[in-house]
Amino acid sequence: MLEDDFMSFLILEENDIDDILKYINNEQIIFHPKYSLEGALDYSIIKKLSFENNCQIILDRNLLTSLLKISTDGFLKDSNEENLISVLMVWLHLLDINPNASIAIMENAYNSNNSNNAKKELVQFKEIFNLIPTQLWFDLAKGKIDRLPINIMENKETTINNNLSYHAGNDFFKMCYASILHITQLYKNNNYSSVEKIKNFWDWNFDKLLISQYINTYVILLFSNQENIKAPKNSNSKDFEKIKKGCINQAWDLTYLSIWSTLYWNESSSNDIHFFATADILLKRIFINCHSGENLYNLIYDCFSKKMLLTLLTTIRKKVKIGKNLIFLIQQKRFTFLI
């Protein structure tokens, strides 16, 4: 029996902890370049980390939306989604990991051009952890109850009073959005080969923006036609507003990874450990392909023929010499990104 911070008790049977950990690992939703490269965590390692460090987990927008909805309605129409959220909440408690929804709240505020909704979501998110006992999440996951009692949240605060602007976006998003717009333009151009599209993107990217490991991983995967790697939604539409909306959504996905990379980059010199949680297949593939092969060279090698590989390497070497804003290191054909 474990006492948690919400003044409740979590009653566990013999195999419950193993079942929770196994479920989370099977779903492959928790990521870190060192501790959870492919979404599976070693319990003894993560438990030691959470005991010795301040561990946080950044939730993507889809997970936050489901969490907010289930706290409002008491249930989700999709039983698998409901089970995922409830088990995740128990998992956070067991490992004493703090959830962080700041980027997800910012994304929704930007899309609605309204900071008031963000302030309401921020309060609701906080109150979920103050008012809903972990035992209820566990009972929901086990099927002992079919919904959360929504009256728990009835007395929560409705908003927060401050002058902060949550809907203005940020430099990371602007960088990703500009990149996705250019990538989509290339994607729609049938006059270029895949390699020409990548070279064209580099011509633009190396001189205009900082170089993002995740954006370039996405570029390589997209233009080499890898399975489950898609262009932004509505990319082939003739309606610019639809194309724009799809590009914004894709840019926010990459923004999560880009901001997160600045947090885990210096973890060796701090007591903070930052994980990222997502069920999005595209985000998972970008992250895994970015880190599992160690560098962009290996990824290009895996995705293209030797001839195409040499062409791209030649382009890279030229760009290293003339790129104005390039933050790129090349050592013996091995690539290391700084952001």
Side-chain angles (χ1 to χ4, degrees):
M1 187 162 60
L2 302 175
E3 181 177 347
D4 72 13
D5 295 334
F6 314 138
M7 294 184 294
S8 67
F9 295 92
L10 181 58
I11 302 173
L12 299 171
E13 297 178 0
E14 184 177 0
N15 296 322
D16 283 340
I17 292 180
D18 287 341
D19 290 343
I20 292 168
L21 298 172
K22 183 178 180 180
Y23 175 85
I24 290 293
N25 280 350
N26 286 341
E27 291 296 317
Q28 291 183 287
I29 61 170
I30 311 296
F31 292 90
H32 189 282
K34 182 177 180 180
Y35 305 112
S36 185
L37 180 59
E38 296 187 1
L41 303 98
D42 183 288
Y43 176 67
S44 60
I45 293 176
I46 189 66
K47 190 64 178 177
K48 185 174 186 293
L49 281 174
S50 64
F51 180 76
E52 298 177 348
N53 300 272
N54 173 34
C55 289
Q56 291 193 27
I57 188 163
I58 298 169
L59 304 180
D60 77 353
R61 182 66 210 178
N62 289 335
L63 291 177
L64 176 63
T65 298
S66 297
L67 178 60
L68 295 177
K69 186 169 180 58
I70 196 174
S71 72
T72 301
D73 299 341
F75 69 99
L76 295 174
K77 292 181 180 179
D78 187 323
S79 59
N80 292 327
E81 184 181 355
E82 179 181 282
N83 200 49
L84 177 64
I85 295 299
S86 56
V87 176
L88 176 61
M89 294 294 283
V90 178
W91 182 88
L92 290 171
H93 159 73
L94 287 175
L95 294 170
D96 193 25
I97 294 179
N98 298 315
N100 185 320
S102 56
I103 306 175
I105 289 174
M106 189 187 306
E107 176 187 353
N108 192 50
Y110 178 89
N111 289 338
S112 63
N113 195 31
N114 188 330
S115 285
N116 291 328
N117 289 336
K119 295 174 183 179
K120 292 178 182 179
E121 286 188 345
L122 187 61
V123 171
Q124 184 180 357
F125 179 71
K126 181 181 72 172
E127 293 301 325
I128 286 172
F129 294 91
N130 290 336
L131 298 177
I132 302 179
T134 308
Q135 185 66 52
L136 283 179
W137 290 111
F138 187 61
D139 289 345
L140 185 64
K142 295 279 284 187
K144 294 182 178 179
I145 58 175
D146 61 2
R147 65 183 60 205
L148 297 175
I150 57 176
N151 63 303
I152 289 178
M153 298 288 288
E154 287 180 354
N155 296 321
K156 71 176 179 65
E157 297 179 54
T158 57
T159 189
I160 185 172
N161 295 317
N162 62 41
N163 295 320
L164 296 178
S165 175
Y166 295 88
H167 65 275
N170 56 73
D171 288 342
F172 285 99
F173 169 73
K174 293 173 184 177
M175 176 184 72
C176 293
Y177 184 33
S179 298
I180 291 298
L181 284 172
H182 197 77
I183 291 167
T184 302
Q185 183 183 36
L186 291 169
Y187 177 80
K188 291 168 64 69
N189 191 328
N190 295 323
N191 295 323
Y192 289 162
S193 68
S194 295
V195 169
E196 287 172 334
K197 290 178 180 181
I198 295 172
K199 290 172 65 178
N200 186 292
F201 177 74
W202 284 346
D203 284 337
W204 173 84
N205 187 204
F206 284 16
D207 287 335
K208 303 296 183 182
L209 296 173
L210 297 178
I211 307 305
S212 166
Q213 58 181 341
Y214 297 115
I215 291 174
N216 275 278
T217 296
Y218 175 60
V219 166
I220 297 300
L221 294 174
L222 177 66
F223 291 136
S224 61
N225 299 313
Q226 298 301 308
E227 185 180 4
N228 291 322
I229 304 299
K230 299 180 180 179
K233 190 175 181 180
N234 297 316
S235 290
N236 289 318
S237 173
K238 294 182 180 180
D239 186 333
F240 177 72
E241 288 303 314
K242 289 183 178 180
I243 295 173
K244 179 181 175 181
K245 184 177 180 180
C247 288
I248 288 173
N249 289 337
Q250 188 67 62
W252 272 111
D253 283 349
L254 290 167
T255 299
Y256 284 93
L257 297 178
S258 295
I259 293 178
W260 175 43
S261 70
T262 67
L263 299 175
Y264 68 66
W265 188 261
N266 292 314
E267 285 179 348
S268 59
S269 59
S270 73
N271 289 324
D272 296 322
I273 305 293
H274 299 86
F275 294 91
F276 177 58
T278 183
D280 186 275
I281 294 176
L282 178 59
L283 273 178
K284 291 181 183 183
R285 288 185 176 273
I286 291 173
F287 176 79
I288 292 171
N289 280 282
C290 180
H291 292 285
S292 62
E294 298 181 0
N295 51 58
L296 189 65
Y297 169 78
N298 288 341
L299 180 62
I300 296 172
Y301 184 84
D302 289 339
C303 294
F304 289 100
S305 67
K306 184 176 181 180
K307 180 180 179 180
M308 291 180 175
L309 172 65
L310 292 175
T311 300
L312 292 173
L313 287 178
T314 300
T315 302
I316 284 280
R317 293 192 185 100
K318 289 180 179 179
K319 290 300 170 186
V320 167
K321 294 179 181 179
I322 65 174
K324 295 177 182 178
N325 298 312
L326 187 60
I327 301 184
F328 223 131
L329 299 179
I330 297 186
Q331 296 178 344
Q332 296 178 349
K333 297 183 181 179
R334 301 182 72 80
F335 299 77
T336 303
F337 289 88
L338 298 188
I339 66 169

